[in-house]
Amino acid sequence: MFGEEPEAFAGRYGVELDSLLEDDGFLETVVERFEDSQDCNLDENSVWENVIRRALSELAGN
């Protein structure tokens, strides 16, 4: 999902990807949102991508 260079990710979202992956609070939030957003009409990967993109957008203040 994030084929960008690490610097581009950090510039876009304001946090290093490695730091974000170590943040249990962020990960728990994403998992909870995924569970709440599951929809039989959408494939699982699309739901994950939507939830992660929304959480990152909020993190970046967008």
Side-chain angles (χ1 to χ4, degrees):
M1 183 173 171
F2 300 109
E4 304 175 41
E5 292 295 318
E7 297 82 22
F9 182 91
R12 184 171 184 182
Y13 300 110
V15 64
E16 298 285 336
L17 181 58
D18 290 339
S19 297
L20 194 59
L21 294 175
E22 294 173 2
D23 182 349
D24 290 336
F26 179 80
L27 297 177
E28 288 175 17
T29 297
V30 169
V31 169
E32 286 176 15
R33 290 181 181 185
F34 172 80
E35 291 171 349
D36 292 342
S37 298
Q38 285 183 313
D39 182 340
C40 293
N41 295 315
L42 292 174
D43 64 283
E44 189 172 303
N45 286 344
S46 294
V47 175
W48 275 117
E49 287 183 20
N50 291 338
V51 166
I52 292 168
R53 287 185 197 283
R54 195 173 321 125
L56 287 171
S57 179
E58 290 172 9
L59 185 67
N62 298 328

